[in-house]
Amino acid sequence: MTSWDIDRYAHYAGKLQPTSETSGHFESINPSNGESICKIYNTAPKTIDAAVESAQSAFPEWSKTPPVERARILLKVVALLREHNDALAHLETLDTGKPYSETSTVDIVTGADVLEYFANLVGSGGLNGESFRLRESAMVYTAKEPLGVCAGIGAWNYPLQIALWKSAPCLAAGNCMVYKPSEFTPLHAEYLARLYRQAGVPAGVFNVVYGAGDVGAYLTKHPAIAKVSFTGQVSTGRKVAGAAAGEMKYVTMELGGKSALVILPDADVGQAADVAMMANFYSTGQVCTNGTRVFVYRRMKQEFERAILERIQHVRPGDLFDPATNFGPLSSAVHRDKVLAHVRHGVDVDRATLLCGGPGNPAESSDSDSDDSNNVLPPHLRNGFWVRPTVFTDCTDDMGIVKNEIFGPVMSILSYDEIDEAIDRANATDLGLAAGVVGCDISLCHTAVARLQAGITWVNTWGESPAEMAVGGWKQSGMGVENGRRGLEAWVRNKSTLVEMWKPQSVFSKL
Ligand code: NDP
C-alpha cells in the first residue's frame, strides 16, 4: 500500500471517501530535495461533517465495548505497527525530512509503545472508578466515562507519534476520533487509519480529515466535538483553546517552549556537552522540548564550547536513508526561512558570538570551512531545506534568539556565576515546557530541578519521553498532559454517585 493515493479523499466510516467538493489543495514536499511527493486536497466542510457523523455513529458501540476487548483489538494494532515499522519510517522520512536512522528507531517505536501502554492500562482496570463508604448508611462510587467524539490536531515534527499519542488514550478510553494531521506532513494518517481497521477497530472510530488551519478551526468549533487535543504553536493554541472554550469543550494543549538546560558547576563537561547536543540537534532541533537556552557556569564556558565544537564535527547531514546520516533538513521551505531569519537576527541584531554554523546554505560549505567540513551536501540534495547546526555564545537574556522559540538547530550559550541566578534566569520566561540540569552532586541536581518552572524535567539526560511518563507544559506551554496514568484521565469524565441505603430523611416529610 502507498499512502499517496489519498489525494482527493478523507478517511471516514472505515474507508477512503471522496471529498464532496474541493476547497483547494496542498503539496506534500520531500524536504531533503524539495521535490513534490503528492497533492492532497483540503477536506471540504461537508466532508468534515460526514467524518464527524461517522464517529458519532461508531461511538455507542465502541464506548460500550468492554475495556478488555478494546485493549485486545488495540494490541493487534501495536503488533501491526511494529510489523510495518520500516515502511512507516520510510514514509515519515520522506514526509518530514528526518533521517531514517531516527524514524526507524524512535518515531514508530514510541508511538506503538504508547498504544501498548494505554491498551494494557485500560485492559487491567485503568478505567475503574473508586468506591468508599461515606457513613454507615451511605456509600459513594465513581465511574469514568468516555467523552464522545474528539478531535486530534497534530504538528509536523513527529507526525505518526503525535497521531498515536492522541488516538491511543482516546480510543482506549472508548472515544472516537477525527484526526487532522499537519498539512506539511499528512502521509502517515491514512496508513494509520488502515492499520486500525485491519486490526479490527470498527469503522468510524478513527477518521482522518486533511487541510490547513481552517480545517482545524472548523473541527474545533464543530458542535459534535467534545474535546480537542492540540499540538502546535502557542499562538495557534490560544485560538484553538479560545474557540473550544466558547462551547466548554475539553482541551489538551501541547504547545511550544524555550527550555533551559542548566550545567551545574560540578558537571562533567563531556557529559554536559553530550546532553546539550541531544537537547539542540536531535531531529534537526525540531523538538518542542529542546533545551535551547544552555546556562553554563562561567568558569566552565570555554571548555564547554570546545566540547561542543568537537561534537558538531559528528553532525552528519546527507542522504536520509544512509544509516550514517544523523541530521536532516528542516521540514518545509517556510520553516527553513523562519529559522534562518532567527539566525540572521542573532548575528545582525543581537550580535551574539557565532561559535559555529550561521545563516549560510550548507550546500555551499567548503572544506576550508573548518567547523562545517562534515556538512557539505551532495548535489542531488541541494534544493532541500537544509540549514547548518548553529551555536551562539556570549548570549544575554534579552536577545531575540534567547527569548523566542526557533524550533530549529540553534543553541544559545549563556554564562552564570551563581546557581540561584541561573535558576531565576531560566525561569524568567512565559513558557514552561521542559527544563533540565547536568551535575555530579545528585542532591544538588534534585534541589535545582525542583526549582525549575517546567512540566517536563530531566537530570543528566535530555529528551526521553516514555509512555509511562506524563508530559505537559506549564505556563503558556500548555494545558493538561499526555501519557502516563494522568494522560488517560484527560479522555474521560467522572460521574460520582451517592447511594443512601437507609430511608433518606426528607425535610419535606416533616412538613
Ligand atoms: P501550528 O500551531 O502552526 O500548527 C499545529 C496544527 O494546528 C496544524 O495541524 C495546523 O494546521 C493546525 N492549525 C493551524 N491553525 C489552526 C486553527 N486556527 N485552528 C485549529 N488548528 C489550526 O504548529 P506547527 O505545526 O508549526 O508545530 C510546531 C509547534 O508545535 C512548535 O511551537 C512546537 O513547540 C509545538 N510542539 C509542541 C509539542 C508539545 O508536546 N508540547 C510537540 C510538538 C510540537 P496546518 O499546519 O496544516 O496549517
Side-chain angles (χ1 to χ4, degrees):
M1 169 196 132
T2 63
S3 262
W4 34 94
D5 50 3
I6 53 181
D7 63 349
R8 281 172 198 264
Y9 298 90
H11 183 115
Y12 63 92
K15 55 179 195 250
L16 277 179
Q17 309 268 3
T19 49
S20 53
E21 60 191 81
T22 55
S23 36
H25 70 268
F26 51 94
E27 303 235 348
S28 181
I29 306 280
N30 178 340
S32 74
N33 57 18
E35 287 170 12
S36 172
I37 302 172
C38 67
K39 269 189 202 165
I40 294 185
Y41 283 77
N42 294 319
T43 305
K46 265 200 259 175
T47 314
I48 302 175
D49 291 343
V52 173
E53 277 159 28
S54 94
Q56 282 179 299
S57 346
F59 179 71
E61 192 188 326
W62 182 246
S63 59
K64 287 194 194 94
T65 304
V68 75
E69 275 179 42
R70 288 201 300 265
R72 216 173 280 141
I73 298 171
L74 295 177
L75 287 172
K76 286 188 194 151
V77 185
V78 174
L80 285 172
L81 283 164
R82 293 189 176 138
E83 197 183 301
H84 289 246
N85 181 75
D86 294 356
L88 278 162
H90 188 100
L91 204 61
E92 289 290 75
T93 287
L94 288 180
D95 213 13
T96 61
K98 295 205 274 188
Y100 186 71
S101 61
E102 273 189 32
T103 55
S104 61
T105 54
V106 173
D107 295 46
I108 289 78
V109 173
T110 51
D113 284 353
V114 165
L115 186 56
E116 185 174 37
Y117 172 78
F118 282 115
N120 284 327
L121 189 58
V122 302
S124 59
L127 288 170
N128 290 355
E130 54 178 5
S131 64
F132 56 93
R133 190 168 290 276
L134 186 66
R135 54 180 176 263
E136 196 184 359
S137 68
M139 63 173 288
V140 171
Y141 63 87
T142 68
K144 295 177 189 179
E145 297 192 352
L147 305 172
V149 178
C150 304
I153 301 178
W156 43 257
N157 60 335
Y158 277 84
L160 182 81
Q161 189 208 65
I162 290 175
L164 281 160
W165 283 24
K166 296 190 183 311
S167 61
C170 173
L171 270 51
N175 302 286
C176 296
M177 173 164 273
V178 180
Y179 168 66
K180 186 198 92 64
S182 165
E183 71 186 276
F184 296 103
T185 54
L187 298 185
H188 64 289
E190 174 60 22
Y191 205 135
L192 177 61
R194 289 188 199 187
L195 292 188
Y196 272 130
R197 288 290 291 135
Q198 191 182 332
V201 172
V205 170
F206 181 76
N207 311 276
V208 184
V209 294
Y210 295 95
D214 52 336
V215 172
Y218 187 87
L219 207 48
T220 302
K221 290 194 192 119
H222 200 292
I225 296 290
K227 164 174 176 147
V228 183
S229 175
F230 174 83
T231 298
Q233 301 181 43
V234 175
S235 55
T236 321
R238 281 199 194 103
K239 287 188 214 159
V240 173
E247 308 265 343
M248 290 295 171
K249 294 178 198 290
Y250 294 82
V251 291
T252 303
M253 293 280 137
E254 297 294 342
L255 309 177
K258 190 71 192 178
S259 303
L261 165 61
V262 180
I263 312 296
L264 294 169
D266 70 344
D268 173 86
V269 176
Q271 184 186 25
D274 286 340
V275 172
M277 289 296 292
M278 189 66 189
N280 280 273
F281 300 118
Y282 193 73
S283 284
T284 313
Q286 300 166 115
V287 183
C288 51
T289 49
N290 262 4
T292 48
R293 293 183 296 143
V294 183
F295 289 90
V296 182
Y297 187 51
R298 195 177 303 278
R299 279 191 245 155
M300 190 194 286
K301 188 175 109 124
Q302 275 189 346
E303 204 187 334
F304 179 78
E305 287 170 356
R306 269 197 300 276
I308 290 290
L309 283 177
E310 273 167 29
R311 283 158 179 76
I312 287 279
Q313 298 300 318
H314 302 291
V315 173
R316 289 181 300 270
D319 187 303
L320 298 179
F321 292 97
D322 179 342
T325 299
N326 61 12
F327 188 81
L330 292 173
S331 76
S332 66
V334 179
H335 189 52
R336 185 260 327 266
D337 295 346
K338 223 159 106 181
V339 170
L340 286 180
H342 281 291
V343 174
R344 282 195 200 98
H345 190 280
V347 174
D348 300 335
V349 181
D350 294 333
R351 300 204 173 277
T353 308
L354 192 59
L355 192 66
C356 65
N361 180 347
E364 289 156 12
S365 299
S366 71
D367 287 339
S368 59
D369 196 352
S370 62
D371 47 20
D372 281 325
S373 57
N374 279 334
N375 299 343
V376 183
L377 286 166
H380 71 283
L381 297 178
R382 290 189 179 171
N383 291 327
F385 313 133
W386 301 85
V387 296
R388 295 172 175 186
T390 294
V391 181
F392 285 107
T393 188
D394 303 322
C395 297
T396 54
D397 299 345
D398 57 344
M399 291 179 176
I401 50 167
V402 175
K403 290 197 292 195
N404 301 315
E405 186 186 39
I406 299 175
F407 215 54
V410 185
M411 181 195 300
S412 296
I413 300 176
L414 304 111
S415 36
Y416 72 88
D417 298 299
E418 303 288 337
I419 298 175
D420 283 347
E421 170 212 334
I423 304 271
D424 289 346
R425 288 168 59 198
N427 288 339
T429 162
D430 287 343
L431 301 170
L433 187 57
V437 297
V438 179
C440 286
D441 177 345
I442 200 69
S443 304
L444 185 58
C445 288
H446 282 301
T447 312
V449 92
R451 289 183 48 204
L452 287 168
Q453 296 169 357
I456 311 164
T457 53
W458 287 285
V459 174
N460 290 335
T461 184
W462 198 278
E464 191 181 1
S465 195
E468 301 86 341
M469 178 171 153
V471 287
W474 286 10
K475 304 191 205 171
Q476 301 282 310
S477 289
M479 208 184 284
V481 297
E482 288 186 327
N483 296 344
R485 285 178 179 273
R486 289 193 52 220
L488 187 63
E489 300 295 326
W491 295 92
V492 289
R493 55 189 163 196
N494 181 76
K495 178 181 272 183
S496 295
T497 304
L498 193 157
V499 183
E500 178 60 62
M501 289 172 286
W502 294 351
K503 197 176 166 199
Q505 298 295 310
S506 168
V507 288
F508 300 111
S509 61
K510 293 184 187 136
L511 294 177

